[in-house]
């Protein structure tokens, strides 16, 4: 059984030895998705199942037969270089440092410039990956394929690895559309996220394979021309968005990109958000990445022992007898777990101490974390050196950065990110810019941290805590924040998305609607968006309500809430009239839920809430249709809640006074309702006087105008 | 000796990443590595054997830690340690015999050595005899061992006489001598490992008879050679190959068998029980043979063994002596199994979304063990390069191949 394998192994290096194999690892993602963690440690050194991410990449590259690896460092380069020096790859790895680069494009340009000054740089084809790739794919065949193709066709400068996958939600990536020539495997079209518009010629050509069920592994085999192309086109920043698109659309010198579909038995994935961090961790625990699994010491790490049901434990981990440690957990060296703990689906690093009666579920606890008794942690990431005091609760989606202290009995709100460093005030929200400013800024910030701990004892994390809660959703990219969080996607969102996907499937592939942008304000679609699915609307309404309540609690201003609601609206495919209805609904519910003794008090509550939030509502009721929707919604609510019935006319009047609803809308509503059943007219009757007054007022106006005209 | 260190590091790396597969290849690489470790090791004048043992042990520990599942590594390291001890012993006894002849000194040290040396000598002699002869050290050879004892030391250390002549040059030459002898012994071990297939295959004719039906599972080079050897001796028989899911190495074996002109049928693993009543003998290759006679083999072997037991079909295990492991399977230090990637079972792309979606929905777990354990009572016969043995005889073989001091490294 060994002989067969040996023969294979012997053949491969011989074939490749003709040319040294080189790889460029970009050890910086140039994005901000892992903030605030990346302010203190480079992303590629973040532990993935207790081993730094880059070790997975390097171990894989090394075993795939790469002779020389260039690691491009940018942010926190010292930490990274230090790590690489200590690792077992120091003979293999050469580091390139540039603090000025702000994108992959810059990095490649820098490497290209260096090429002329230093010897033994990129000599031939090279593998280009980012430092957060986890894979066990054999590269030898792929490289051979690339070289052979290059020999036949000078213009074939890049081979891109794609992989079939059933759901893009797993790793939280954007929808990817590619069009490939099935015979030559040439890439004809590439689009990630955003609007899909295929060239007509592509669609007409029947021999083109268009697929949206693939994942881009971000593993590329490049020829040296790629570097010079980046040099020539100095505006290329992003490897896919600019470079690939540039080649495909602008047809630069006839260069071609080819694809290689990875065999289904190998694993390849990139970690570019917290969701994929969670998924890839789970895949590692489930051993899909074999032999890069925790019980094999592939990077000089101390191997853990694998027990039943996917439990990895360090040999010296101390665990109380009464602790319940469930399937798929990893417990690192020197970690102690107290009585009655419940730990499921979680990774706990080295040197942690977990008190008694602690619940940890679906979380990632890094090294040297102290968790005191009775804490509850669900779907959170807890970085090195964090202290969680007794009784504290981390709600799902929380990210605690390095050395944060959570105060006693404090409840950290869901999806919040906490760091000792203060969130930078939005200076330039260009999403591509992360490292340049962070690398110089962090040092200063860090030095302030100690002072901070001294002066502000009572922090945002309870009286004995330390750390700032960052605001979520600061960039456009976080529009779908839940998609990138480590929390499993909420069932309602999931249902919704699968719904949308099914819709996509039904439609002709050539005219797939640009998801998200589907409807801004056009009436034609908004009308049928009302009926399709009542469940959807209920979920949507609930979400809006929660968002609204949160906003009220936190006293956020309109600017903060509207993006949230907008994102909900896009993800549920709702019209802005629905938003208006839902917001109004939330406002009235809030009024009803506020304790009150009499209807007049209820009215006062309602008016004060409307007063406060009319800006938000106003954002969505710019058109008559939307305003009518608000009134109709109100009617519906009155049906449900008898208390509101007597107030109907009053509140409509109030809305009119506050310019939320214009008179045209009220009149139109009146006209619509005039023909309805008698039972439906209760509210209309209530407003009779008001409508009458409005009519008169407008007639007067008209009269006045007439008079003026004449 | 930086080159040796780098060699060790490289090999450790290979073991860690599971780049070397199959116990024979691993065993061979290990011995070759240890040979160069020994030849590069500088030995002090006093206590050379201990220095060598320490060096080998240090390397051995690294190697075992690198891949604890591959038991052959540990076995071979222990074999080498045993060789060192044995050669040391035979040298001291030979030297002392010379000393005794020259002058009956009353040195305390020598007296001590005498005390240890003489009783131990018989053991060393027996072990050396066991290594040099193909046949097992059966009860008969053990009984007949005494007359042989005079001849064996001379064959293994022919230079002993010349040495005893000049006492002054004794020490320096002794140093080289020990190393030389050890390397000789290790070379012999390498030969033995590389030749184990032929040694085992030689016995095929005694076990496979005309018109029999043989069942095997998975793929093993030893089994392949064994079957082919029987074929070459003009025995005609049929082979059923259970494919050995999920790695389907049985397919490769079937291909090779057909290429060599054997009547071959491939069956699924799950059909083993249905076919077993037509089978005359089950022959499988082992990954390791434990000290109690239990077998670690490719996954599915236990099932085949149980089926064979049920139908009283002989269950024969082929194993080179490097697969003989002096550890017991209930020892917690022995890692018996390795779980491989689930991608051998399932297509990741297709199943990825039922793996971990949502906390509420059930998630899919895949377990893909590499090995199976067959308890000794299911095994009818072991065929090793020293002949056929009962499972209950394994402890005896182990006593011959390993010294008790090395069992725990």
């Amino acid at each position: 059984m060994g002989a067969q394998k040996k023969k294979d192994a012997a053949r491969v290096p011989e074939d490749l030895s003709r040319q040294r194999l080189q790889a460029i690892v970009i050890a910086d993602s140039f994005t901000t998705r892992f903030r605030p963690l990346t302010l203190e440690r480079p992303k590629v050194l973040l532990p993935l199942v207790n081993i730094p991410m880059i070790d997975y990449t390097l171990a894989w590259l090394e075993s795939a037969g790469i002779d020389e690896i260039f690691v491009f460092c940018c942010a926190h380069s010292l930490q990274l270089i230090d790590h690489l020096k200590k690792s077992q790859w120091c003979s293999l790895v050469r580091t390139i440092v540039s603090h000025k680069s702000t994108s992959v494009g810059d990095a490649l340009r820098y490497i290209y410039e260096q090429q002329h000054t230093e010897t033994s740089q990129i000599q031939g084809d090279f593998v280009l990956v980012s430092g957060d790739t986890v894979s066990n794919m054999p590269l030898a065949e792929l490289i051979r394929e690339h070289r052979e193709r290059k020999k036949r066709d000078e213009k074939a400068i890049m081979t891109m690895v794609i992989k079939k996958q059933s759901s893009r939600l797993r790793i939280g990536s954007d929808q990817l559309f590619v069009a490939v020539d099935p015979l030559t495997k040439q890439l004809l079209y590439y689009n990630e996220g955003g609007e899909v518009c295929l060239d007509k010629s592509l669609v007409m050509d029947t021999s083109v394979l268009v697929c949206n069920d693939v994942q881009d592994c971000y593993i590329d085999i490049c020829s040296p021309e790629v570097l010079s192309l980046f040099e020539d086109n100095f505006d290329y920043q992003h490897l896919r968005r600019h470079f690939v698109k540039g080649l495909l659309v602008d047809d630069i010198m006839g260069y071609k990109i080819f694809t290689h579909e990875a065999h289904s038995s190998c694993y390849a994935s990139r970690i570019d958000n917290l969701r994929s961090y969670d998924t890839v961790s789970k895949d590692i625990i489930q051993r899909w990445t074999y032999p890069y699994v925790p019980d094999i010491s592939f990077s000089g790490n101390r191997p853990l022992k694998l027990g039943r049901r996917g439990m990895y434990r360090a040999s010296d981990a101390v665990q109380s007898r009464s602790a319940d440690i469930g399937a798929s957990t990893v417990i690192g060296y020197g970690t102690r777990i107290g009585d009655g703990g419940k730990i499921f689906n979680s990774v706990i690093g080295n040197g942690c101490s977990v008190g008694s009666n602690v619940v940890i579920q679906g979380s990632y606890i890094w090294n040297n974390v102290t968790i005191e008794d009775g804490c509850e942690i669900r779907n959170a990431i807890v970085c090195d050196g964090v202290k969680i005091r007794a009784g504290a609760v981390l709600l799902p989606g929380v990210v605690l950065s390095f050395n944060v202290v959570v105060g006693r009995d404090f409840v950290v709100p869901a999806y919040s990110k906490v760091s000792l460093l203060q969130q930078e005030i939005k200076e330039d929200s260009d999403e591509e810019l992360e490292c340049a400013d962070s690398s110089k800024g962090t040092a200063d910030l860090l030095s302030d941290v100690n002072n901070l701990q001294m002066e502000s004892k009572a922090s945002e994390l309870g009286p004995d805590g330390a750390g700032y809660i960052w605001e979520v959703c600061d960039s456009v990219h976080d529009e779908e924040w839940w998609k990138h969080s480590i929390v499993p996607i909420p069932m309602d969102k999931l249902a919704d998305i699968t719904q949308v996907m099914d819709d996509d499937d039904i439609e002709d592939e050539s005219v797939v609607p640009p998801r998200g942008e589907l409807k801004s304000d056009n009436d034609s679609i908004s009308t049928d968006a009302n009926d399709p699915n009542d469940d959807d609307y209920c979920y949507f309404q609930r979400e809006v309500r929660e968002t609204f309540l949160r906003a009220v609690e936190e006293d956020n201003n309109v600017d903060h809430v509207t993006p949230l609601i907008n994102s909900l609206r896009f993800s549920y495919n709702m019209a802005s009239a629905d938003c208006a209805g839902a917001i109004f609904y939330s406002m009235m519910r809030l009024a009803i839920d506020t304790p009150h003794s009499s209807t007049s008090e209820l009215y006062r509550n309602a008016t004060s809430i409307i007063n406060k939030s009319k800006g938000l509502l106003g954002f969505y009721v710019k058109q008559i249709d939307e305003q009518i929707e608000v009134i109709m919604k109100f009617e519906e609510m009155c049906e449900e809640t008898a208390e509101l019935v007597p107030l109907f006319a009053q509140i409509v009047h109030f809305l009119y006074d506050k310019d939320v609803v214009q008179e045209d809308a009220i009149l139109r509503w009146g006209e619509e309702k005039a023909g309805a059943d008698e039972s439906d007219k209760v509210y209309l009757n209530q407003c009779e006087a008001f409508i009458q007054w409005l009519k008169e007022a407008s007639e007067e106006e008209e009269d006045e105008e007439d008079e003026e005209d004449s | 000796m930086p080159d040796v260190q780098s060699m060790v590091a490289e090999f450790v790396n290979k073991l860690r990443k599971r780049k070397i597969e199959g116990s024979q290849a691993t065993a061979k690489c290990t011995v070759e590595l240890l040979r160069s470790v020994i030849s590069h090791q500088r030995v002090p004048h006093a206590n050379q054997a201990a220095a060598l043992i320490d060096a080998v042990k240090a390397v051995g520990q690294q190697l075992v830690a690198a891949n604890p599942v591959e038991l052959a590594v540990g076995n071979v390291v222990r074999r080498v340690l045993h060789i060192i001890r044995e050669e040391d012993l035979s040298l001291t006894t030979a030297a002392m015999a010379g000393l005794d002849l020259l002058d009956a000194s009353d040195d305390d040290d020598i007296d001590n050595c005498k005390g240890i040396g003489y009783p131990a000598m018989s053991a060393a002699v027996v072990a050396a005899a066991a290594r040099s002869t193909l046949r097992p050290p059966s009860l008969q050879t053990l009984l007949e061992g005494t007359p042989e004892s005079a001849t064996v030391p001379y064959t293994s250390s022919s230079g002993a006489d010349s040495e005893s002549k000049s006492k002054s040059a004794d020490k320096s030459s002794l140093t080289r001598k020990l190393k030389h002898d050890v390397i000789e012994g290790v070379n012999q071990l390498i030969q033995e490992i590389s030749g184990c297939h032929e040694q085992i295959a030689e016995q095929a004719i005694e076990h496979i008879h005309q018109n029999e039906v043989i069942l095997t599972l998975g793929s093993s080079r030893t089994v392949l050679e064994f079957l082919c050897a029987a074929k070459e001796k003009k025995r005609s028989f049929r082979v059923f190959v259970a494919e050995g899911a999920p790695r389907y190495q049985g397919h490769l074996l079937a291909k090779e068998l057909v290429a060599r002109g054997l009547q071959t049928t491939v069956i699924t693993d799950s059909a083993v029980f249905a076919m077993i009543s037509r089978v005359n003998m089950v022959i499988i290759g082992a990954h390791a043979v434990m000290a109690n006679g239990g077998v670690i083999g490719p996954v599915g072997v236990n099932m085949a063994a149980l089926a064979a037991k049920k139908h009283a079909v002989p269950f024969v295990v082929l194993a080179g002596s490097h697969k003989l492991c002096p550890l017991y399977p209930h020892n917690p230090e022995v890692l018996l199994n390795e779980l491989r990637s689930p991608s051998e079972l399932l297509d990741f792309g297709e199943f990825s979304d039922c793996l971990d979606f949502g906390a509420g929905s059930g998630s899919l777990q895949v377990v893909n063990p590499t090995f199976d354990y067959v308890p000794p009572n299911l095994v009818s016969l072991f065929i090793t390069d020293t002949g056929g043995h009962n499972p209950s005889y394994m402890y005896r073989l182990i006593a011959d191949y390993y010294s008790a001091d090395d069992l725990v490294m």
Side-chain angles (χ1 to χ4, degrees), chain A residues 1-7 59 62-64 88-89 136 163-167 169-170 264-267 279 282-283 286-292 295-298 300 305-306 309-310 327-328 488-489 491 494, chain B residues 13 16-22 25 65-66 219-221 247 249 252 256 287 298 332-333 335 338-344 346-353 355-359 361 363-366 370-371:
Chain A
M1 115 181 178
Q4 185 73 25
K5 288 265 161 173
K6 238 177 74 185
K7 251 183 258 161
E62 192 211 10
S63 68
Q88 59 180 85
W89 296 289
N136 56 5
K163 192 170 178 301
K164 269 227 149 49
Q165 66 158 9
S166 53
S167 164
L169 290 173
R170 273 197 97 229
S264 63
S265 67
C266 46
Y267 186 87
T279 332
K282 284 192 173 128
D283 291 338
Q286 301 263 7
R287 308 181 73 77
W288 289 97
T289 58
Y290 183 92
Y292 310 115
D295 60 327
I296 294 180
S297 139
F298 58 88
K305 282 225 159 66
L306 173 60
R309 298 198 297 153
S328 307
I489 298 175
M491 286 318 276
L494 198 59
Chain B
N13 225 334
R16 265 197 200 137
K17 300 212 172 115
R18 311 299 196 249
K19 280 273 188 71
I20 306 181
E21 278 199 54
S219 172
S220 156
R221 169 104 190 278
R247 301 181 71 191
Q249 301 224 314
L252 299 176
E256 294 255 344
H287 168 71
E333 291 299 310
L335 204 56
E338 170 147 77
L339 298 182
R340 298 176 64 90
S341 167
S343 60
E344 287 170 357
L346 298 180
D347 181 2
F348 181 73
E350 249 171 72
F351 284 85
S352 56
D353 49 352
L355 290 172
D356 51 19
F357 243 71
S361 57
S363 81
L364 182 69
Q365 300 248 354
V366 187
T370 319
F371 302 120

Side-chain angles (χ1 to χ4, degrees), chain B residues 96-395:
Chain B
M96 271 175 25
L99 282 177
D100 276 348
L101 286 176
L102 284 174
D103 56 344
S105 107
D106 48 5
D107 202 333
D108 270 354
D109 269 348
I110 289 181
D111 248 17
N112 275 349
C113 282
K114 248 191 216 166
I116 306 163
Y118 279 116
M121 182 176 155
S122 62
V125 162
V126 168
R131 259 193 308 110
S132 53
T133 57
L134 280 176
R135 292 296 116 191
S138 60
L139 200 58
Q140 198 182 8
T141 47
L142 280 178
L143 291 174
E144 288 170 354
T146 21
E148 261 181 78
S149 64
T151 60
V152 171
Y154 288 107
T155 53
S156 70
S157 54
S158 51
D161 325 48
S162 60
E163 215 175 289
S164 56
K165 282 171 194 164
S166 58
K167 208 183 162 191
S168 56
D170 197 32
K171 276 211 164 156
S172 58
S173 65
L174 204 69
T175 316
R176 243 172 285 137
K177 178 103 190 65
L178 175 73
K179 220 158 126 177
H180 178 259
D181 284 354
V182 167
I183 288 173
E184 198 104 295
V186 172
N187 280 337
Q188 220 171 335
L189 179 62
I190 293 175
Q191 265 176 23
E192 185 191 308
I193 291 171
S194 40
C196 73
H197 293 317
E198 286 83 63
Q199 301 292 357
I200 294 172
E202 237 172 50
Q203 307 161 46
I205 201 81
E206 298 164 26
H207 298 280
I208 298 178
H209 307 290
Q210 196 69 14
N211 294 329
E212 276 193 339
V213 177
I214 311 287
L215 177 89
T216 183
L217 187 142
S219 172
S220 156
R221 169 104 190 278
T222 325
V223 172
L224 176 69
E225 299 289 339
F226 191 80
L227 295 176
C228 292
K231 171 77 187 169
E232 275 161 25
K233 299 269 167 59
K234 302 278 180 266
R235 288 277 148 87
S236 100
F237 55 94
R238 298 182 46 163
V239 183
F240 283 168
V241 181
E243 57 185 357
R247 301 181 71 191
Y248 303 112
Q249 301 224 314
H251 297 174
L252 299 176
L253 178 72
K255 208 171 159 187
E256 294 255 344
L257 287 175
V258 171
R260 307 238 194 142
L262 273 94
Q263 286 262 329
T264 311
T265 312
V266 173
I267 59 170
T268 59
D269 295 344
S270 35
V272 163
F273 195 89
M275 303 302 266
I276 201 82
S277 53
R278 288 166 56 187
V279 169
N280 296 93
M281 182 159 59
V282 181
I283 299 180
I284 62 135
H287 168 71
V289 178
M290 307 309 291
N292 65 347
V295 176
I296 295 174
V299 69
V301 158
N302 194 23
M303 177 188 72
L306 283 167
K309 185 83 174 174
K310 177 92 178 164
H311 287 265
V313 176
F315 186 81
V316 177
V317 176
L318 308 185
S321 56
H322 59 273
K323 295 190 177 179
L324 201 56
C325 179
L327 303 174
Y328 285 86
H330 46 73
N331 182 348
E333 291 299 310
V334 184
L335 204 56
L336 290 175
N337 221 334
E338 170 147 77
L339 298 182
R340 298 176 64 90
S341 167
S343 60
E344 287 170 357
L345 269 71
L346 298 180
D347 181 2
F348 181 73
E350 249 171 72
F351 284 85
S352 56
D353 49 352
C354 48
L355 290 172
D356 51 19
F357 243 71
S361 57
S363 81
L364 182 69
Q365 300 248 354
V366 187
V367 179
N368 178 15
T370 319
F371 302 120
D372 236 358
Y373 172 68
V374 183
N377 60 330
L378 298 182
V379 180
S380 321
L381 185 70
F382 282 103
I383 301 178
T384 71
D385 36 8
T386 58
H389 304 291
N390 233 14
S392 56
Y393 189 70
M394 282 302 130
Y395 84 98

Side-chain angles (χ1 to χ4, degrees), chain A residues 395-454:
Chain A
L395 292 178
V398 168
V399 176
L400 297 184
S401 187
F402 298 88
N403 300 316
V404 162
V405 181
V406 179
R408 187 173 285 269
D409 296 321
F410 187 79
V411 179
V412 184
Y415 297 105
S416 54
K417 297 181 175 179
V418 184
S419 170
L420 283 188
L421 306 175
Q422 239 165 337
Q423 190 165 21
E424 287 158 57
I425 305 116
K426 260 199 240 174
E427 70 291 350
D428 48 343
S429 59
D430 190 346
E431 14 134 351
E432 300 287 337
L433 291 174
E434 108 133 339
C435 60
D437 41 316
S438 74
S439 56
K440 62 178 184 317
T442 322
D444 314 338
L445 283 169
L446 270 171
S447 60
D448 292 342
V449 166
N450 291 332
N451 310 347
L452 169 138
Q453 274 172 313
M454 302 291 161

